[in-house]
Amino acid sequence: MRRTVFNEDHEAFRETLRAFIEAEVVPVYDEWFAAGQAPRDFYYKLGELGIFGINVPEEFGGAGLDSHKFEAVLYEETARAGVAFGGSGVHVLLALPYIKMLATDEQKKRFLPKFVSGEEMWAIAMTEPGTGSDLAGMKSTAKLSEDGTHYVLNGAKTFITGGVHADRMIVCARTSAPTAEDRRHGISLFAVDTKSEGYSVGRKLDKLGLKTSDTAELAFVDVKVPVEDLLGEENKGFYYLGHNLASERWGIAFGAYAQAKAAVRFAKQYVQDRTVFGKTVASFQNTKFELAACQAEVDAAEAVADRATEALDAGELTPAEAASAKLFCTEVAHRVIDRCLQLHGGYGFMNEYPIARLYADNRVNRIYGGTSEIMKSIIAKDMGL
């Protein structure tokens, strides 16, 4: 079936991106993998390429587009090459929507030009030790000073992707206590300068996968945050977080589909090259049946991912639809990647093969952005159950 989600502009971007990946990422990716993160100066290259400015208004140095389809192309091309762009995904997919939605004109003038160039990398700190997906249970606090010039931030966060390299961190913290009627009340968002006194990056976490993205623990001890760096209104942070969850879950869904598609590509190439018992692995009926079944699942995931992309761009992607897309695409990717690794035999277990890295990277898709179980709860509630 012919895809209709992309046009000539997207395909031209794809060609440029593919050439960039081959020249700038593939030759050094093993070094990034061993180091556990992409180098900081790589993000300047992404800024020069225009990756960070696609959805930023022209007046702040961006392209002024309002579409997630270029991000979708990026997901497909990085997965196809078996690489990742470090922790930069949160910069665009997670942080930018909050800046565009909540920042004042003055804040946009301060933040967005440096955002586009890569001079200031952004991330978001939601999860805390012991709370996991229960964001309403967060304990970090931000108390307004007596003179009203700044907030005093205290607390800790964990599993913060992009946390090592971030120059600005959107920190979620309590400015008021929860009420008996609504435990979600009282959360606010702040654009915190990571160079602030009392702000510290703890361990860079040793993850099962996503080895080139820097994921860290953060601590805040009496960090002074100017009132000018509050994003949006006080105590409405939980609403803001919920508003952007659909786009976050779309990104995970589309990324998972792209990984599944790449896994079939890797497996097909491997079985055509690998010879056993005097025959290529591709010539065995089991191989053909396995890859055919995987391709059928990828085709279905592609349709779901494309439909969600169109809905997101139209501003019509509902929380339940985003949850459904995430649940389906991540479960498909789990099955497909596992079967494609199996076709590699013992070599599939070696990190020098992209399928092994893909297997590890994919596992978190059913956890972050809301676990598969939470996705099922959202879908069931939408069904009236």
Side-chain angles (χ1 to χ4, degrees):
M1 294 178 287
R2 186 176 66 87
R3 297 178 80 185
T4 58
V5 69
F6 299 125
N7 61 29
E8 293 180 358
D9 291 338
H10 302 121
E11 296 307 329
F13 175 67
R14 186 188 302 279
E15 291 181 14
T16 299
L17 187 59
R18 189 173 296 183
F20 173 82
I21 290 171
E22 288 299 320
E24 300 288 345
V25 183
V26 172
V28 294
Y29 196 69
D30 286 346
E31 298 174 17
W32 297 5
F33 189 85
Q37 62 186 34
R40 177 63 178 84
D41 61 4
F42 173 68
Y43 299 138
Y44 291 109
K45 293 181 180 180
L46 292 180
E48 292 172 4
L49 189 64
I51 295 294
F52 298 149
I54 292 171
N55 293 325
V56 173
E58 293 182 41
E59 62 187 294
F60 304 114
L65 302 179
D66 189 19
S67 171
H68 288 78
K69 292 182 181 180
F70 291 94
E71 291 173 53
V73 172
L74 190 150
Y75 284 127
E76 289 187 334
E77 289 304 307
T78 51
R80 178 185 180 277
V83 302
F85 283 175
S88 66
V90 298
H91 183 68
V92 174
L93 181 64
L94 299 190
L96 182 57
Y98 290 102
I99 302 173
K100 291 176 67 176
M101 178 175 72
L102 303 176
T104 63
D105 289 341
E106 183 276 330
Q107 288 175 325
K108 288 177 181 177
K109 290 176 183 177
R110 275 197 293 135
F111 297 149
L112 286 176
K114 293 180 181 180
F115 180 99
V116 171
S117 68
E119 183 179 345
E120 277 192 354
M121 293 301 295
W122 286 62
I124 184 166
M126 292 186 257
T127 306
E128 295 186 358
T131 62
S133 297
D134 181 19
L135 296 179
M138 70 175 63
K139 305 251 188 315
S140 294
T141 60
K143 304 294 185 183
L144 188 63
S145 62
E146 291 185 5
D147 61 7
T149 61
H150 63 273
Y151 293 85
V152 180
L153 174 65
N154 284 282
K157 301 289 181 177
T158 192
F159 306 144
I160 308 306
T161 302
V164 175
H165 283 320
D167 302 289
R168 281 274 176 181
M169 182 67 66
I170 299 176
V171 178
C172 312
R174 286 204 164 276
T175 43
S176 297
T179 65
E181 297 78 20
D182 187 4
R183 60 191 294 267
R184 299 170 298 180
H185 170 78
I187 295 171
S188 300
L189 308 185
F190 300 89
V192 180
D193 185 340
T194 62
K195 297 184 295 295
S196 301
E197 184 178 352
Y199 181 108
S200 62
V201 178
R203 290 187 303 149
K204 181 167 75 69
L205 300 174
D206 184 16
K207 307 185 297 295
L208 171 67
L210 302 179
K211 290 292 189 179
T212 63
S213 71
D214 51 307
T215 302
E217 296 174 331
L218 307 177
F220 320 112
V221 179
D222 294 334
V223 178
K224 292 183 178 179
V225 183
V227 292
E228 294 81 9
D229 289 344
L230 172 70
L231 284 175
E233 297 182 37
E234 264 195 11
N235 302 324
K236 292 189 176 181
F238 197 94
Y239 164 77
Y240 299 143
L241 295 174
H243 186 272
N244 285 324
L245 277 176
S247 62
E248 178 183 351
R249 287 166 180 164
W250 164 82
I252 297 169
F254 203 99
Y257 141 70
Q259 289 176 323
K261 182 177 181 179
V264 173
R265 176 175 178 267
F266 296 145
K268 179 182 175 183
Q269 182 178 359
Y270 178 82
V271 298
Q272 288 175 328
D273 294 339
R274 175 71 167 159
T275 301
V276 295
F277 306 118
K279 300 165 61 177
T280 63
V281 176
S283 66
F284 290 91
Q285 185 183 65
N286 179 70
T287 303
K288 296 176 181 178
F289 282 6
E290 283 293 284
L291 282 177
C294 287
Q295 183 61 53
E297 290 217 73
V298 168
D299 286 344
E302 181 179 87
V304 170
D306 285 357
R307 185 181 69 175
T309 303
E310 296 285 17
L312 183 63
D313 271 11
E316 299 172 354
L317 185 65
T318 68
E321 289 169 345
S324 178
K326 180 182 185 293
L327 177 65
F328 183 77
C329 290
T330 57
E331 293 292 339
V332 164
H334 161 64
R335 293 191 297 268
V336 167
I337 294 170
D338 184 75
R339 293 165 85 171
C340 287
L341 186 149
Q342 188 73 15
L343 289 172
H344 282 70
Y347 289 105
F349 206 63
M350 301 296 114
N351 273 327
E352 64 187 276
Y353 282 80
I355 192 68
R357 299 179 182 184
L358 195 58
Y359 183 87
D361 290 350
N362 172 260
R363 185 58 186 89
V364 76
N365 289 335
R366 291 179 288 148
I367 299 174
Y368 67 2
T371 64
S372 291
E373 291 74 23
I374 287 177
M375 297 305 99
K376 292 174 184 176
S377 296
I378 293 170
I379 297 165
K381 183 177 181 181
D382 187 67
M383 295 169 65
L385 299 174

